[in-house]
Amino acid sequence: MSSFNFSQWPPALSDAQLESLTHHAATYALSHGLTYLPPIPTQPPVPSSAIHAPISLLPAPVPRSLFERAQSLQSVYNTLYARIATNDEFLDREMGAEVGAGKADEFVRTLWQGWKEIREEGIAQPLHLGLFRSDYLLHTGGEDGGLGLKQVEFNTISSSFGPLSERAAAMHRYLHALTDYYGVSPDLRPENFPPNNTTSGLANGLAEAHKAYNAKGNASILFVVQPNERNVFDQRWLEYELLEKHSIRVVRQTFDELASSATLNPESRVLQITLPTPPGSSSSPSPIEISTIYFRAGYVPTDFPTPAHYTTRFLLERSRAIKCPTIPLQLAGGKKVQEALSQPGAVEKFFGGPEAEHAKELRETWMRMWALDAPNTPLSLPAEADHKSGEPLGTALARANAMSLVLKPQREGGGNNIYKSDIPQFLETLSPQDRQAWIAMELIVPPAGVGGYLVRAGGMNGGAGALPEKTVRSETISELGIFGWALFGKEKVVEEQGNVGWLMRTKGVESNEGGVAAGFSVLDSVVLVDG
């Protein structure tokens, strides 16, 4: 059992102390780029204002041993997903359009079919780059009654908030240095604030891919971004790091812009970007060769409103540039893959012989999962399935155990899952084919009674003026993300990799979802405690 009493967190602060901390936190965030663009329908070409990101005033407690375990596991996860992304047979089976999740999910199917065509043409670039994030919750539901670490998901595309998480951790260290947090807790000591150098770590991964591309002349890294992106500063910090520390320039483009700016040499497969001619210029800019493509868009169907957007995505995939991620690495992050790995003997196929201990370590972080279309399952669950006619056992088990489950589709970005009491009715809407795109996962049970002080920025009230800062004490759940990167290919499964930092997001217990950009969570950091 953990010796730390989570139900006594956060320590009490007076109204005056909260007001002072909120003022200092907000001004620090704005001064140090812990920011978002304001929530307006269309962002202007040149930003003229910013608001601080949603933040917590006190860091979230995490037992030191579990934090260190999450960090140590990241290199194992990096290797696992590198091996999955280079295993065509496994991905075809689990995510393909013929027998896998792509059979029921149009988005997955379109990506997989495009990748299959490119494979048949011949892959121009054998290397993949992954900037990963493995997300965990503390779990109290173990058989021994102790506190454990359970994985929520593994992110292989647009693993965001690395630079902003580093600045959130720095903000908490600043608040402690300034106020000593008014002496309200003996756990709030400098040695309990772990370092977080995510920005340099992620930039190092991109820089290594750029170097491996081995351009003969100048080349740049392409960031593929969403239009009207509010979380732009999280991306800009990586851009600045690449230029200042590695002398690598970044080009930012949306899929719409790339439709006209991107060209592919049919023989060399070199990708070039031609930027618009600046106003008043008499000559057009020279095309820019792209060494590495970092996708901060392309993970949701709404990023592809027309077939032309998929055509652009596949053009990028056909290039000699190193992709972060490639389509197979993006598919490897699917929830169906997460579920498939949890089945008996599955992950062991990726870690055999002397690496068998790695498979055991990973399994200890997983909750029970199964496919809704599973005809049978070896799971032992609290409620037995009451079959409807023709219904697979996986769906019947999900209905019977709904209050302890979450249903997940093949989606990223938050707001896509189905929880608890909403599950039975939702199951009635699924056709037999639709079930193939969903998995059921037992809910992780975080420590009860833990809370936090959450701050959301004031914004514009429909043109009526600025809303005030709002600090709320709320019962909370905190999700820990560990960042890593890997540069790899089929011939040499992992060229290089790194464990580069962490992210803490905190939300109110009333919210099922966890996305900061989607408005569910705030950016937090970690205070290490005994346990």
Side-chain angles (χ1 to χ4, degrees):
M1 294 291 289
S2 172
S3 59
F4 180 81
N5 189 343
F6 283 87
S7 65
Q8 296 300 308
W9 193 266
L13 292 166
S14 69
D15 289 344
Q17 290 168 338
L18 283 173
E19 183 178 358
S20 177
L21 286 173
T22 300
H23 174 80
H24 291 304
T27 52
Y28 183 94
L30 291 167
S31 300
H32 291 78
L34 182 49
T35 49
Y36 271 20
L37 290 177
I40 55 179
T42 302
Q43 295 295 338
V46 179
S48 58
S49 63
I51 60 173
H52 69 73
I55 50 179
S56 70
L57 290 184
L58 270 70
V62 177
R64 189 182 304 272
S65 61
L66 296 183
F67 182 80
E68 292 173 350
R69 184 181 179 209
Q71 290 186 307
S72 69
L73 282 173
Q74 189 60 35
S75 62
V76 183
Y77 271 115
N78 293 346
T79 300
L80 172 63
Y81 277 85
R83 291 173 179 175
I84 292 170
T86 52
N87 188 321
D88 297 350
E89 181 182 358
F90 177 85
L91 283 176
D92 287 346
R93 182 174 67 249
E94 301 302 337
M95 298 295 284
E98 295 159 3
V99 295
K103 187 175 181 180
D105 189 302
E106 182 181 6
F107 176 55
V108 173
R109 178 168 64 251
T110 305
L111 288 175
W112 180 84
Q113 288 174 333
W115 173 49
K116 185 171 183 288
E117 291 178 7
I118 294 167
R119 274 191 285 167
E120 292 169 351
E121 295 169 4
I123 301 295
Q125 176 54 257
L127 292 178
H128 311 238
L129 175 65
L131 298 188
F132 300 134
R133 196 187 71 227
S134 185
D135 293 335
Y136 303 93
L137 291 174
L138 302 181
H139 179 56
T140 61
E143 294 181 1
D144 60 358
L147 197 61
L149 188 75
K150 294 294 183 179
Q151 188 185 63
V152 178
E153 62 185 358
F154 191 87
N155 300 275
T156 64
I157 182 169
S158 190
S159 303
S160 59
F161 294 113
L164 292 195
S165 70
E166 179 178 332
R167 282 150 184 82
M171 178 197 71
H172 283 142
R173 288 194 296 271
Y174 159 76
L175 291 176
H176 180 266
L178 181 68
T179 69
D180 194 34
Y181 275 120
Y182 308 108
V184 294
S185 170
D187 292 298
L188 293 169
R189 303 192 307 272
E191 59 268 30
N192 289 343
F193 292 77
N196 192 1
N197 302 307
T198 313
T199 307
S200 62
L202 294 176
N204 284 342
L206 289 163
E208 288 299 325
H210 175 85
K211 184 169 66 175
Y213 176 83
N214 194 25
K216 292 182 173 62
N218 290 330
S220 297
I221 292 178
L222 170 65
F223 282 20
V224 182
V225 299
Q226 294 172 323
N228 296 314
E229 174 66 76
R230 290 185 58 216
N231 188 28
V232 65
F233 300 104
D234 185 56
Q235 303 166 15
R236 289 289 189 183
W237 282 116
L238 286 177
E239 178 182 339
Y240 304 150
E241 183 81 9
L242 285 166
L243 184 60
E244 294 167 8
K245 301 294 176 59
H246 302 277
S247 300
I248 301 171
R249 294 176 180 174
V250 167
V251 178
R252 294 172 59 85
Q253 294 263 282
T254 65
F255 281 121
D256 283 330
E257 291 169 328
L258 288 165
S260 58
S261 68
T263 56
L264 194 63
N265 184 302
E267 295 181 0
S268 67
R269 303 280 192 95
V270 167
L271 176 68
Q272 292 185 320
I273 305 295
T274 302
L275 299 179
T277 302
S281 176
S282 59
S283 60
S284 299
S286 299
I288 301 168
E289 183 175 352
I290 298 301
S291 69
T292 305
I293 307 170
Y294 177 38
F295 287 97
R296 291 297 291 255
Y299 55 87
V300 287
T302 51
D303 286 338
F304 301 93
T306 71
H309 289 78
Y310 283 107
T311 299
T312 300
R313 174 66 182 88
F314 298 146
L315 180 140
L316 300 180
E317 190 74 17
R318 286 183 167 92
S319 76
R320 195 170 72 83
I322 296 174
K323 274 73 67 177
C324 179
T326 57
I327 291 175
L329 185 53
Q330 179 175 349
L331 293 173
K335 306 302 183 290
K336 183 66 177 119
V337 168
Q338 186 183 14
E339 178 270 326
L341 290 171
S342 73
Q343 300 310 309
V347 72
E348 287 76 9
K349 292 179 181 178
F350 293 97
F351 289 113
E355 295 183 314
E357 187 63 25
H358 290 329
K360 180 182 177 182
E361 290 174 332
L362 297 183
R363 283 197 178 279
E364 289 173 352
T365 68
W366 295 342
M367 301 297 289
R368 288 181 286 192
M369 289 174 268
W370 65 92
L372 290 187
D373 64 334
N376 53 64
T377 171
L379 297 171
S380 175
L381 294 165
E384 295 182 1
D386 181 14
H387 273 72
K388 294 186 176 183
S389 176
E391 183 178 61
L393 180 60
T395 299
L397 283 171
R399 179 182 293 104
N401 295 275
M403 293 308 294
S404 62
L405 299 180
V406 54
L407 303 186
K408 295 184 175 185
Q410 312 307 309
R411 292 290 179 272
E412 304 296 335
N416 302 300
N417 299 334
I418 307 297
Y419 291 83
K420 296 184 179 181
S421 59
D422 293 332
I423 289 175
Q425 183 177 359
F426 176 76
L427 291 174
E428 298 300 323
T429 70
L430 294 180
S431 68
Q433 180 167 311
D434 290 338
R435 293 177 190 140
Q436 298 176 43
W438 289 80
I439 71 163
M441 174 177 163
E442 280 196 296
L443 285 169
I444 303 168
V445 185
V450 65
Y453 299 105
L454 314 183
V455 185
R456 298 189 184 278
M460 299 308 293
N461 185 14
L467 295 170
E469 296 289 316
K470 187 173 183 181
T471 302
V472 175
R473 189 195 186 289
S474 177
E475 188 175 350
T476 57
I477 297 171
S478 295
E479 186 171 315
L480 174 67
I482 304 295
F483 288 99
W485 67 269
L487 181 65
F488 60 93
K490 283 189 176 182
E491 297 302 319
K492 189 175 182 181
V493 174
V494 176
E495 293 270 346
E496 296 184 72
Q497 66 165 313
N499 172 2
V500 299
W502 48 270
L503 160 71
M504 182 63 86
R505 291 169 295 173
T506 292
K507 64 182 181 181
V509 293
E510 71 282 353
S511 173
N512 285 319
E513 297 292 350
V516 178
F520 302 110
S521 299
V522 305
L523 291 171
D524 205 339
S525 75
V526 169
V527 57
L528 300 176
V529 298
D530 295 332

